Short mmCIF file of all heavy atoms in Angstrom, two decimals:
data_model
loop_
_atom_site.label_atom_id
_atom_site.label_comp_id
_atom_site.label_asym_id
_atom_site.label_seq_id
_atom_site.Cartn_x
_atom_site.Cartn_y
_atom_site.Cartn_z
N MET A 368 320.13 -132.83 129.74
CA MET A 368 319.58 -133.01 128.40
C MET A 368 318.08 -133.24 128.53
O MET A 368 317.63 -134.03 129.35
CB MET A 368 320.27 -134.18 127.72
CG MET A 368 319.80 -134.38 126.32
SD MET A 368 320.96 -135.28 125.28
CE MET A 368 320.61 -136.95 125.72
N GLU A 369 317.32 -132.60 127.69
CA GLU A 369 315.86 -132.70 127.71
C GLU A 369 315.41 -133.95 126.97
O GLU A 369 315.89 -134.25 125.89
CB GLU A 369 315.26 -131.46 127.04
CG GLU A 369 313.77 -131.39 127.16
CD GLU A 369 313.24 -130.10 126.56
OE1 GLU A 369 313.82 -129.05 126.82
OE2 GLU A 369 312.25 -130.18 125.82
N THR A 370 314.47 -134.69 127.56
CA THR A 370 313.94 -135.88 126.90
C THR A 370 312.50 -135.63 126.48
O THR A 370 311.76 -134.93 127.16
CB THR A 370 314.00 -137.11 127.84
OG1 THR A 370 313.25 -136.83 129.00
CG2 THR A 370 315.43 -137.45 128.21
N SER A 371 312.13 -136.24 125.38
CA SER A 371 310.78 -136.10 124.85
C SER A 371 309.82 -137.00 125.61
O SER A 371 310.17 -138.11 126.00
CB SER A 371 310.78 -136.46 123.37
OG SER A 371 309.47 -136.50 122.88
N GLN A 372 308.60 -136.54 125.80
CA GLN A 372 307.58 -137.33 126.46
C GLN A 372 306.84 -138.24 125.47
O GLN A 372 306.12 -139.13 125.88
CB GLN A 372 306.57 -136.42 127.17
CG GLN A 372 307.18 -135.59 128.27
CD GLN A 372 307.77 -136.45 129.39
OE1 GLN A 372 307.29 -137.52 129.69
NE2 GLN A 372 308.83 -135.96 130.01
N ALA A 373 307.02 -138.00 124.17
CA ALA A 373 306.35 -138.81 123.15
C ALA A 373 306.99 -140.19 123.10
O ALA A 373 308.20 -140.33 123.27
CB ALA A 373 306.46 -138.13 121.79
N PRO A 374 306.19 -141.24 122.87
CA PRO A 374 306.76 -142.57 122.75
C PRO A 374 307.68 -142.64 121.53
O PRO A 374 307.40 -142.05 120.49
CB PRO A 374 305.54 -143.48 122.58
CG PRO A 374 304.41 -142.59 122.26
CD PRO A 374 304.75 -141.22 122.72
N GLN A 375 308.80 -143.32 121.69
CA GLN A 375 309.78 -143.42 120.61
C GLN A 375 309.70 -144.79 119.97
O GLN A 375 309.89 -145.81 120.64
CB GLN A 375 311.19 -143.19 121.16
CG GLN A 375 311.39 -141.81 121.73
CD GLN A 375 311.26 -140.73 120.69
OE1 GLN A 375 311.83 -140.82 119.61
NE2 GLN A 375 310.50 -139.69 120.99
N ALA A 376 309.39 -144.82 118.68
CA ALA A 376 309.32 -146.08 117.94
C ALA A 376 310.70 -146.44 117.44
O ALA A 376 311.44 -145.58 116.98
CB ALA A 376 308.37 -145.93 116.76
N PRO A 377 311.09 -147.70 117.55
CA PRO A 377 312.38 -148.11 117.00
C PRO A 377 312.36 -148.03 115.48
O PRO A 377 311.30 -147.92 114.87
CB PRO A 377 312.53 -149.55 117.49
CG PRO A 377 311.14 -150.02 117.74
CD PRO A 377 310.36 -148.80 118.15
N ALA A 378 313.52 -148.10 114.87
CA ALA A 378 313.62 -147.98 113.41
C ALA A 378 313.11 -149.22 112.68
O ALA A 378 312.97 -149.19 111.47
CB ALA A 378 315.06 -147.72 113.01
N CYS A 379 312.78 -150.29 113.38
CA CYS A 379 312.38 -151.54 112.71
C CYS A 379 310.87 -151.72 112.64
O CYS A 379 310.40 -152.81 112.37
CB CYS A 379 313.03 -152.72 113.42
SG CYS A 379 312.58 -152.85 115.15
N VAL A 380 310.09 -150.67 112.84
CA VAL A 380 308.64 -150.78 112.74
C VAL A 380 308.22 -150.77 111.27
O VAL A 380 308.93 -150.23 110.43
CB VAL A 380 307.93 -149.65 113.51
CG1 VAL A 380 308.21 -149.76 114.99
CG2 VAL A 380 308.33 -148.30 112.99
N PRO A 381 307.06 -151.36 110.91
CA PRO A 381 306.66 -151.42 109.51
C PRO A 381 306.25 -150.08 108.92
O PRO A 381 306.43 -149.86 107.72
CB PRO A 381 305.50 -152.40 109.49
CG PRO A 381 305.06 -152.55 110.89
CD PRO A 381 306.19 -152.13 111.78
N ILE A 382 305.69 -149.18 109.73
CA ILE A 382 305.36 -147.84 109.25
C ILE A 382 305.84 -146.84 110.28
O ILE A 382 306.02 -147.17 111.45
CB ILE A 382 303.85 -147.66 108.99
CG1 ILE A 382 303.04 -147.91 110.25
CG2 ILE A 382 303.38 -148.50 107.82
CD1 ILE A 382 301.56 -147.59 110.11
N MET A 383 306.08 -145.61 109.84
CA MET A 383 306.65 -144.60 110.71
C MET A 383 306.10 -143.24 110.34
O MET A 383 305.89 -142.95 109.17
CB MET A 383 308.17 -144.62 110.54
CG MET A 383 308.95 -143.83 111.54
SD MET A 383 310.72 -144.07 111.32
CE MET A 383 310.91 -145.80 111.68
N THR A 384 305.89 -142.41 111.36
CA THR A 384 305.43 -141.05 111.10
C THR A 384 306.51 -140.28 110.34
O THR A 384 307.71 -140.62 110.40
CB THR A 384 305.12 -140.30 112.40
OG1 THR A 384 306.33 -140.14 113.14
CG2 THR A 384 304.06 -141.00 113.22
N ILE A 385 306.08 -139.27 109.64
CA ILE A 385 307.01 -138.42 108.91
C ILE A 385 308.00 -137.77 109.88
O ILE A 385 309.21 -137.69 109.60
CB ILE A 385 306.25 -137.35 108.11
CG1 ILE A 385 305.48 -138.03 106.97
CG2 ILE A 385 307.17 -136.27 107.59
CD1 ILE A 385 304.50 -137.14 106.24
N GLU A 386 307.53 -137.37 111.05
CA GLU A 386 308.39 -136.71 112.03
C GLU A 386 309.47 -137.66 112.54
O GLU A 386 310.63 -137.29 112.65
CB GLU A 386 307.54 -136.18 113.19
CG GLU A 386 306.61 -135.05 112.82
CD GLU A 386 305.35 -135.50 112.06
OE1 GLU A 386 305.00 -136.70 112.10
OE2 GLU A 386 304.74 -134.63 111.42
N ARG A 387 309.10 -138.90 112.84
CA ARG A 387 310.09 -139.87 113.35
C ARG A 387 311.08 -140.26 112.26
O ARG A 387 312.28 -140.37 112.50
CB ARG A 387 309.38 -141.12 113.88
CG ARG A 387 310.31 -142.16 114.44
CD ARG A 387 311.02 -141.68 115.69
NE ARG A 387 311.82 -142.77 116.22
CZ ARG A 387 313.00 -142.62 116.77
NH1 ARG A 387 313.53 -141.42 116.90
NH2 ARG A 387 313.66 -143.65 117.21
N PHE A 388 310.59 -140.43 111.03
CA PHE A 388 311.47 -140.75 109.90
C PHE A 388 312.44 -139.60 109.69
O PHE A 388 313.62 -139.82 109.39
CB PHE A 388 310.64 -141.02 108.65
CG PHE A 388 311.41 -141.66 107.53
CD1 PHE A 388 311.74 -143.01 107.58
CD2 PHE A 388 311.80 -140.92 106.43
CE1 PHE A 388 312.44 -143.60 106.55
CE2 PHE A 388 312.50 -141.51 105.39
CZ PHE A 388 312.83 -142.86 105.44
N SER A 389 311.97 -138.38 109.87
CA SER A 389 312.81 -137.19 109.76
C SER A 389 313.93 -137.23 110.80
O SER A 389 315.10 -136.95 110.48
CB SER A 389 311.96 -135.93 109.93
OG SER A 389 312.77 -134.79 110.03
N GLU A 390 313.59 -137.56 112.03
CA GLU A 390 314.60 -137.64 113.10
C GLU A 390 315.67 -138.67 112.78
O GLU A 390 316.86 -138.44 113.00
CB GLU A 390 313.94 -138.01 114.43
CG GLU A 390 313.06 -136.94 115.02
CD GLU A 390 312.31 -137.43 116.25
OE1 GLU A 390 312.60 -138.55 116.74
OE2 GLU A 390 311.43 -136.68 116.71
N LEU A 391 315.26 -139.81 112.27
CA LEU A 391 316.20 -140.91 112.02
C LEU A 391 317.07 -140.68 110.79
O LEU A 391 318.20 -141.14 110.75
CB LEU A 391 315.45 -142.23 111.89
CG LEU A 391 314.79 -142.73 113.18
CD1 LEU A 391 313.94 -143.96 112.88
CD2 LEU A 391 315.84 -143.05 114.22
N THR A 392 316.54 -140.00 109.78
CA THR A 392 317.28 -139.81 108.54
C THR A 392 318.03 -138.50 108.47
O THR A 392 318.95 -138.35 107.67
CB THR A 392 316.35 -139.90 107.32
OG1 THR A 392 315.38 -138.85 107.41
CG2 THR A 392 315.67 -141.25 107.24
N GLY A 393 317.61 -137.52 109.27
CA GLY A 393 318.24 -136.20 109.20
C GLY A 393 317.66 -135.33 108.10
O GLY A 393 318.14 -134.22 107.87
N LEU A 394 316.65 -135.82 107.40
CA LEU A 394 315.97 -135.03 106.38
C LEU A 394 314.86 -134.22 107.02
O LEU A 394 314.29 -134.64 108.02
CB LEU A 394 315.37 -135.94 105.31
CG LEU A 394 316.34 -136.81 104.52
CD1 LEU A 394 315.59 -137.83 103.68
CD2 LEU A 394 317.23 -135.94 103.66
N SER A 395 314.54 -133.10 106.43
CA SER A 395 313.46 -132.28 106.99
C SER A 395 312.11 -132.94 106.70
O SER A 395 311.96 -133.67 105.71
CB SER A 395 313.48 -130.88 106.39
OG SER A 395 313.02 -130.91 105.06
N PRO A 396 311.13 -132.69 107.56
CA PRO A 396 309.79 -133.23 107.29
C PRO A 396 309.24 -132.78 105.94
O PRO A 396 308.56 -133.55 105.25
CB PRO A 396 308.95 -132.69 108.44
CG PRO A 396 309.92 -132.49 109.55
CD PRO A 396 311.19 -132.05 108.88
N ASP A 397 309.54 -131.54 105.53
CA ASP A 397 309.07 -131.06 104.23
C ASP A 397 309.69 -131.86 103.08
O ASP A 397 309.02 -132.15 102.10
CB ASP A 397 309.39 -129.57 104.06
CG ASP A 397 308.50 -128.69 104.91
OD1 ASP A 397 307.39 -129.14 105.28
OD2 ASP A 397 308.91 -127.56 105.22
N THR A 398 310.96 -132.21 103.21
CA THR A 398 311.62 -133.01 102.18
C THR A 398 310.97 -134.39 102.09
O THR A 398 310.70 -134.89 101.00
CB THR A 398 313.12 -133.17 102.50
OG1 THR A 398 313.72 -131.87 102.49
CG2 THR A 398 313.82 -134.06 101.48
N ILE A 399 310.69 -134.98 103.23
CA ILE A 399 310.06 -136.30 103.26
C ILE A 399 308.66 -136.23 102.66
O ILE A 399 308.28 -137.09 101.85
CB ILE A 399 310.04 -136.86 104.68
CG1 ILE A 399 311.48 -137.10 105.14
CG2 ILE A 399 309.22 -138.14 104.76
CD1 ILE A 399 311.64 -137.37 106.61
N ARG A 400 307.89 -135.21 103.01
CA ARG A 400 306.55 -135.04 102.42
C ARG A 400 306.64 -134.92 100.90
O ARG A 400 305.84 -135.50 100.17
CB ARG A 400 305.86 -133.82 103.01
CG ARG A 400 305.33 -134.03 104.40
CD ARG A 400 304.55 -132.83 104.91
NE ARG A 400 304.37 -132.92 106.34
CZ ARG A 400 305.17 -132.38 107.25
NH1 ARG A 400 306.22 -131.65 106.87
NH2 ARG A 400 304.95 -132.53 108.53
N GLY A 401 307.60 -134.17 100.42
CA GLY A 401 307.79 -134.01 98.98
C GLY A 401 308.14 -135.33 98.31
O GLY A 401 307.61 -135.66 97.24
N GLN A 402 309.01 -136.12 98.95
CA GLN A 402 309.39 -137.41 98.39
C GLN A 402 308.23 -138.39 98.40
O GLN A 402 308.08 -139.19 97.48
CB GLN A 402 310.59 -137.98 99.15
CG GLN A 402 311.86 -137.18 98.99
CD GLN A 402 312.30 -137.06 97.54
OE1 GLN A 402 312.39 -138.07 96.82
NE2 GLN A 402 312.56 -135.86 97.10
N LEU A 403 307.40 -138.32 99.43
CA LEU A 403 306.19 -139.16 99.46
C LEU A 403 305.23 -138.75 98.34
O LEU A 403 304.67 -139.61 97.65
CB LEU A 403 305.49 -139.03 100.82
CG LEU A 403 306.15 -139.72 102.01
CD1 LEU A 403 305.53 -139.25 103.31
CD2 LEU A 403 306.08 -141.23 101.87
N GLN A 404 305.06 -137.44 98.17
CA GLN A 404 304.14 -136.94 97.15
C GLN A 404 304.61 -137.32 95.74
O GLN A 404 303.81 -137.62 94.87
CB GLN A 404 304.01 -135.43 97.28
CG GLN A 404 302.96 -134.82 96.38
CD GLN A 404 302.78 -133.34 96.64
OE1 GLN A 404 303.58 -132.70 97.31
NE2 GLN A 404 301.72 -132.79 96.09
N GLN A 405 305.92 -137.31 95.52
CA GLN A 405 306.47 -137.65 94.21
C GLN A 405 306.54 -139.16 93.98
O GLN A 405 306.85 -139.61 92.89
CB GLN A 405 307.88 -137.06 94.07
CG GLN A 405 307.89 -135.56 94.00
CD GLN A 405 309.31 -135.01 93.97
OE1 GLN A 405 310.28 -135.73 93.75
NE2 GLN A 405 309.43 -133.71 94.18
N GLY A 406 306.29 -139.94 95.03
CA GLY A 406 306.33 -141.39 94.89
C GLY A 406 307.71 -141.98 95.08
O GLY A 406 307.93 -143.16 94.79
N ASN A 407 308.66 -141.20 95.59
CA ASN A 407 310.02 -141.69 95.79
C ASN A 407 310.18 -142.46 97.10
O ASN A 407 311.15 -143.21 97.26
CB ASN A 407 311.02 -140.54 95.76
CG ASN A 407 311.07 -139.88 94.40
OD1 ASN A 407 310.85 -140.52 93.39
ND2 ASN A 407 311.33 -138.60 94.37
N LEU A 408 309.27 -142.27 98.02
CA LEU A 408 309.23 -143.04 99.26
C LEU A 408 307.87 -143.75 99.31
O LEU A 408 306.86 -143.15 98.94
CB LEU A 408 309.37 -142.14 100.49
CG LEU A 408 310.75 -141.59 100.80
CD1 LEU A 408 310.67 -140.59 101.95
CD2 LEU A 408 311.72 -142.71 101.14
N PRO A 409 307.84 -145.00 99.77
CA PRO A 409 306.57 -145.71 99.85
C PRO A 409 305.66 -145.11 100.93
O PRO A 409 306.10 -144.84 102.04
CB PRO A 409 306.96 -147.15 100.16
CG PRO A 409 308.35 -147.09 100.68
CD PRO A 409 308.97 -145.84 100.16
N LEU A 410 304.43 -144.93 100.57
CA LEU A 410 303.44 -144.28 101.42
C LEU A 410 302.45 -145.29 101.97
O LEU A 410 302.06 -146.24 101.28
CB LEU A 410 302.69 -143.24 100.56
CG LEU A 410 301.47 -142.55 101.14
CD1 LEU A 410 301.89 -141.61 102.25
CD2 LEU A 410 300.76 -141.78 100.06
N TYR A 411 302.04 -145.07 103.21
CA TYR A 411 300.98 -145.87 103.82
C TYR A 411 300.06 -144.90 104.53
O TYR A 411 300.53 -144.05 105.29
CB TYR A 411 301.56 -146.89 104.81
CG TYR A 411 300.54 -147.85 105.34
CD1 TYR A 411 300.16 -148.96 104.61
CD2 TYR A 411 299.94 -147.63 106.58
CE1 TYR A 411 299.21 -149.84 105.09
CE2 TYR A 411 299.00 -148.52 107.06
CZ TYR A 411 298.64 -149.61 106.31
OH TYR A 411 297.69 -150.48 106.78
N LYS A 412 298.77 -144.99 104.27
CA LYS A 412 297.81 -144.09 104.90
C LYS A 412 297.11 -144.79 106.05
O LYS A 412 296.65 -145.91 105.93
CB LYS A 412 296.77 -143.61 103.89
CG LYS A 412 297.30 -142.58 102.93
CD LYS A 412 296.19 -141.97 102.13
CE LYS A 412 296.73 -140.86 101.25
NZ LYS A 412 295.67 -140.21 100.51
N VAL A 413 297.05 -144.09 107.17
CA VAL A 413 296.31 -144.54 108.34
C VAL A 413 295.30 -143.45 108.62
O VAL A 413 295.65 -142.38 109.12
CB VAL A 413 297.23 -144.76 109.56
CG1 VAL A 413 296.43 -145.18 110.77
CG2 VAL A 413 298.32 -145.78 109.25
N GLY A 414 294.06 -143.69 108.24
CA GLY A 414 293.06 -142.63 108.33
C GLY A 414 293.46 -141.51 107.38
O GLY A 414 293.66 -141.73 106.20
N ARG A 415 293.62 -140.32 107.93
CA ARG A 415 294.03 -139.17 107.12
C ARG A 415 295.53 -138.92 107.17
O ARG A 415 296.04 -138.06 106.47
CB ARG A 415 293.29 -137.93 107.59
CG ARG A 415 291.79 -138.02 107.34
CD ARG A 415 291.04 -136.85 107.87
NE ARG A 415 291.57 -135.60 107.33
CZ ARG A 415 291.19 -134.40 107.72
NH1 ARG A 415 290.27 -134.29 108.65
NH2 ARG A 415 291.70 -133.32 107.20
N ARG A 416 296.24 -139.68 108.03
CA ARG A 416 297.68 -139.49 108.18
C ARG A 416 298.45 -140.24 107.11
O ARG A 416 298.14 -141.38 106.79
CB ARG A 416 298.15 -139.98 109.54
CG ARG A 416 297.71 -139.08 110.65
CD ARG A 416 298.42 -139.42 111.90
NE ARG A 416 299.82 -139.02 111.78
CZ ARG A 416 300.56 -138.64 112.80
NH1 ARG A 416 300.07 -138.61 114.00
NH2 ARG A 416 301.82 -138.30 112.62
N ARG A 417 299.47 -139.57 106.58
CA ARG A 417 300.39 -140.22 105.65
C ARG A 417 301.62 -140.64 106.43
O ARG A 417 302.18 -139.85 107.18
CB ARG A 417 300.77 -139.28 104.52
CG ARG A 417 299.59 -138.87 103.68
CD ARG A 417 299.96 -137.97 102.54
NE ARG A 417 300.80 -136.85 102.99
CZ ARG A 417 301.64 -136.19 102.20
NH1 ARG A 417 301.73 -136.49 100.95
NH2 ARG A 417 302.36 -135.20 102.68
N MET A 418 302.03 -141.88 106.25
CA MET A 418 303.19 -142.40 106.96
C MET A 418 304.13 -143.07 105.97
O MET A 418 303.73 -143.47 104.88
CB MET A 418 302.74 -143.40 108.02
CG MET A 418 301.76 -142.78 109.02
SD MET A 418 301.26 -143.90 110.30
CE MET A 418 302.60 -143.64 111.44
N VAL A 419 305.39 -143.18 106.36
CA VAL A 419 306.40 -143.83 105.53
C VAL A 419 306.30 -145.33 105.77
O VAL A 419 306.32 -145.80 106.91
CB VAL A 419 307.81 -143.33 105.87
CG1 VAL A 419 308.85 -144.03 105.02
CG2 VAL A 419 307.91 -141.82 105.70
N ASN A 420 306.18 -146.09 104.69
CA ASN A 420 306.11 -147.55 104.77
C ASN A 420 307.55 -148.06 104.83
O ASN A 420 308.18 -148.35 103.81
CB ASN A 420 305.37 -148.11 103.56
CG ASN A 420 305.11 -149.58 103.67
OD1 ASN A 420 305.82 -150.30 104.34
ND2 ASN A 420 304.08 -150.03 102.98
N VAL A 421 308.09 -148.16 106.04
CA VAL A 421 309.48 -148.55 106.25
C VAL A 421 309.70 -150.01 105.83
O VAL A 421 310.76 -150.34 105.29
CB VAL A 421 309.88 -148.34 107.73
CG1 VAL A 421 311.31 -148.77 107.98
CG2 VAL A 421 309.70 -146.87 108.12
N ALA A 422 308.73 -150.86 106.04
CA ALA A 422 308.86 -152.27 105.65
C ALA A 422 309.06 -152.40 104.15
O ALA A 422 309.95 -153.13 103.69
CB ALA A 422 307.65 -153.07 106.11
N LEU A 423 308.25 -151.71 103.37
CA LEU A 423 308.37 -151.77 101.91
C LEU A 423 309.67 -151.12 101.45
O LEU A 423 310.35 -151.64 100.56
CB LEU A 423 307.17 -151.10 101.23
CG LEU A 423 307.16 -151.13 99.71
CD1 LEU A 423 307.25 -152.56 99.17
CD2 LEU A 423 305.91 -150.45 99.18
N LEU A 424 310.05 -150.00 102.06
CA LEU A 424 311.31 -149.34 101.73
C LEU A 424 312.49 -150.28 101.97
O LEU A 424 313.38 -150.41 101.13
CB LEU A 424 311.46 -148.05 102.54
CG LEU A 424 312.74 -147.26 102.33
CD1 LEU A 424 312.85 -146.78 100.90
CD2 LEU A 424 312.79 -146.08 103.30
N THR A 425 312.48 -150.97 103.10
CA THR A 425 313.54 -151.92 103.43
C THR A 425 313.59 -153.06 102.43
O THR A 425 314.65 -153.43 101.94
CB THR A 425 313.34 -152.48 104.85
OG1 THR A 425 313.32 -151.38 105.77
CG2 THR A 425 314.43 -153.45 105.23
N THR A 426 312.43 -153.60 102.09
CA THR A 426 312.36 -154.70 101.13
C THR A 426 312.89 -154.27 99.77
O THR A 426 313.68 -155.00 99.14
CB THR A 426 310.90 -155.19 100.98
OG1 THR A 426 310.45 -155.63 102.26
CG2 THR A 426 310.78 -156.31 99.98
N GLU A 427 312.50 -153.08 99.31
CA GLU A 427 312.97 -152.59 98.02
C GLU A 427 314.47 -152.37 98.03
O GLU A 427 315.16 -152.69 97.06
CB GLU A 427 312.25 -151.29 97.66
CG GLU A 427 310.79 -151.50 97.30
CD GLU A 427 310.04 -150.20 97.08
OE1 GLU A 427 310.57 -149.11 97.40
OE2 GLU A 427 308.90 -150.27 96.60
N CYS A 428 315.01 -151.88 99.14
CA CYS A 428 316.45 -151.67 99.24
C CYS A 428 317.20 -153.00 99.24
O CYS A 428 318.24 -153.13 98.58
CB CYS A 428 316.79 -150.87 100.50
SG CYS A 428 316.28 -149.15 100.41
N LEU A 429 316.70 -153.98 99.98
CA LEU A 429 317.35 -155.27 100.04
C LEU A 429 317.29 -156.02 98.71
O LEU A 429 318.19 -156.78 98.37
CB LEU A 429 316.73 -156.14 101.14
CG LEU A 429 317.02 -155.67 102.57
CD1 LEU A 429 316.23 -156.49 103.57
CD2 LEU A 429 318.51 -155.75 102.88
N ASN A 430 316.23 -155.79 97.95
CA ASN A 430 316.08 -156.43 96.64
C ASN A 430 316.80 -155.66 95.55
O ASN A 430 316.80 -156.09 94.39
CB ASN A 430 314.61 -156.58 96.27
CG ASN A 430 313.93 -157.64 97.11
OD1 ASN A 430 314.56 -158.54 97.62
ND2 ASN A 430 312.62 -157.49 97.28
N GLY A 431 317.36 -154.51 95.89
CA GLY A 431 318.09 -153.73 94.91
C GLY A 431 317.21 -152.98 93.93
O GLY A 431 317.68 -152.57 92.89
N GLU A 432 315.94 -152.82 94.25
CA GLU A 432 315.04 -152.09 93.37
C GLU A 432 315.32 -150.60 93.48
O GLU A 432 315.61 -150.09 94.55
CB GLU A 432 313.58 -152.36 93.75
CG GLU A 432 313.18 -153.81 93.55
CD GLU A 432 311.76 -154.06 93.99
OE1 GLU A 432 310.97 -153.09 94.03
OE2 GLU A 432 311.44 -155.22 94.28
N GLU A 433 315.22 -149.91 92.35
CA GLU A 433 315.41 -148.46 92.36
C GLU A 433 314.14 -147.78 92.79
O GLU A 433 313.04 -148.15 92.38
CB GLU A 433 315.81 -147.97 90.97
CG GLU A 433 317.21 -147.44 90.98
CD GLU A 433 317.56 -146.82 89.66
OE1 GLU A 433 317.15 -145.67 89.43
OE2 GLU A 433 318.26 -147.50 88.91
N LEU A 434 314.26 -146.75 93.64
CA LEU A 434 313.10 -146.04 94.14
C LEU A 434 312.77 -144.85 93.28
O LEU A 434 311.66 -144.34 93.32
CB LEU A 434 313.34 -145.58 95.58
CG LEU A 434 313.57 -146.70 96.59
CD1 LEU A 434 313.90 -146.12 97.94
CD2 LEU A 434 312.34 -147.57 96.69
N ALA A 435 313.70 -144.35 92.52
CA ALA A 435 313.46 -143.14 91.73
C ALA A 435 312.82 -143.43 90.41
O ALA A 435 312.77 -144.42 89.83
CB ALA A 435 314.76 -142.39 91.51
#
C-alpha cells in the first residue's frame, strides 16, 4: 500500500485544509469549496488559503445550531 509523504493532521485540529477535510468526510473538494462559498461550512482564511474551521463546526454541532 502506498503512503503519502505529506504530513497528516488528525481530525481534532482547529482548522483543516479542504483536501484533508475531503479525505475525512468523503466529499469532493469541489463540494466542500461550494459549501464554504455558500456559507454552509465555517471558513477560516490563512493568507490566501481558505480552510475549514473545524473547531467552529464542532462547536455549532455540539450546540445543536443549524448550519444551513
Side-chain angles (χ1 to χ4, degrees):
M368 183 158 82
E369 187 176 315
T370 59
S371 172
Q372 297 298 328
Q375 298 296 313
C379 59
V380 296
I382 58 173
M383 191 174 296
T384 65
I385 291 170
E386 293 76 19
R387 181 66 175 142
F388 194 76
S389 171
E390 291 173 8
L391 292 173
T392 62
L394 299 170
S395 74
D397 287 337
T398 298
I399 295 168
R400 284 185 196 93
Q402 294 301 310
L403 287 168
Q404 187 175 13
Q405 292 175 14
N407 295 329
L408 285 173
L410 171 70
Y411 187 81
K412 286 190 176 183
V413 178
R415 294 177 56 187
R416 288 192 71 149
R417 297 182 311 156
M418 302 182 86
V419 179
N420 188 334
V421 179
L423 182 56
L424 178 62
T425 302
T426 301
E427 289 174 349
C428 290
L429 291 173
N430 289 335
E432 296 178 22
E433 247 186 79
L434 298 176

